[in-house]
Amino acid sequence: MTASAYEAAVLDFRRRKDEHFAAGRGPVDPAEFAGLSYFPPDEAWAFTVLLEPLPQGDGGAEWTLETNTGETRTMARVGQVQLPLPDGERTLLVFAPLGEDRPERVFIPFRDATSGESTYGAGRYLDAPLDRQLGGDGALVRVDFNLAYHPYCAYGDGWTCPLPPRENWLPGPVTAGERLS
């Protein structure tokens, strides 16, 4: 049986990421790098949903995220997404760098029931592309948990990584994306 076009695209993305790390352009020593581990690709974990913007007057509201080093990182909270996850509909806050009025991608840090078990304890990240086809402030966002990744601080000391806010802690497991070996 051949992999679907979706699975092939996810596997190609993962192959390119491994090549990037193996070439020394990541947070690991390339001499010790044997490849990242992932859950099997599953398109059921990929959603195209409406990015619900902040209410009028709250656009680009600053949000302070804690980090693994105790410092803080301020980002713009651009809205939220509603996701139909296996354990029920869940809402996640969505962020972008401060000062980006129309980002092409948004940042969604999250924790779930796999955190500290089969994935990094502090959580994982998603970089989700926006589709502006709706016009105005409305946008669709592609939230694909198969592309979820560990922050650099999962690989060693010396990195400062934002932690998912409590609002982005999912009670159920997300068995997609990067996992521990």
Side-chain angles (χ1 to χ4, degrees):
M1 178 177 197
T2 62
S4 72
Y6 173 80
E7 290 172 341
V10 169
L11 294 173
D12 182 60
F13 172 84
R14 293 172 177 183
R15 178 192 54 76
R16 288 182 287 117
K17 184 172 181 179
D18 277 359
E19 288 174 355
H20 182 81
F21 277 31
R25 295 188 301 261
V28 297
D29 180 349
E32 298 175 11
F33 181 69
L36 298 172
S37 295
Y38 298 94
F39 291 98
D42 182 352
E43 197 168 2
W45 286 103
F47 309 94
T48 299
V49 294
L50 177 67
L51 171 61
E52 299 173 16
L54 295 174
Q56 282 290 358
D58 281 344
E62 289 187 10
W63 189 277
T64 301
L65 296 170
E66 300 298 322
T67 69
N68 64 308
T69 61
E71 300 171 28
T72 59
R73 176 97 30 99
T74 304
M75 299 193 80
R77 183 175 57 115
V78 295
Q80 63 186 26
V81 291
Q82 302 285 328
L83 301 172
L85 299 179
D87 65 341
E89 188 164 292
R90 303 291 178 204
T91 302
L92 293 176
L93 300 181
V94 177
F95 302 93
L98 285 174
E100 282 194 26
D101 291 338
R102 292 214 172 265
E104 292 182 18
R105 302 178 82 67
V106 291
F107 175 64
I108 306 173
F110 71 96
R111 285 183 60 160
D112 66 282
T114 69
S115 299
E117 300 288 328
S118 56
T119 64
Y120 182 57
R124 292 181 284 166
Y125 296 164
L126 284 169
D127 296 321
L130 292 178
D131 177 359
R132 297 199 187 285
Q133 300 305 316
L134 298 179
D137 288 334
L140 295 177
V141 61
R142 180 73 173 166
V143 179
D144 189 343
F145 286 101
N146 290 286
L147 305 179
Y149 62 95
H150 291 139
Y152 277 10
C153 54
Y155 303 104
D157 297 332
W159 301 98
T160 300
C161 302
L163 302 174
R166 182 152 272 306
E167 292 85 349
N168 285 13
W169 290 17
L170 301 170
V174 174
T175 54
E178 197 172 323
R179 61 183 287 168
L180 299 173
S181 312

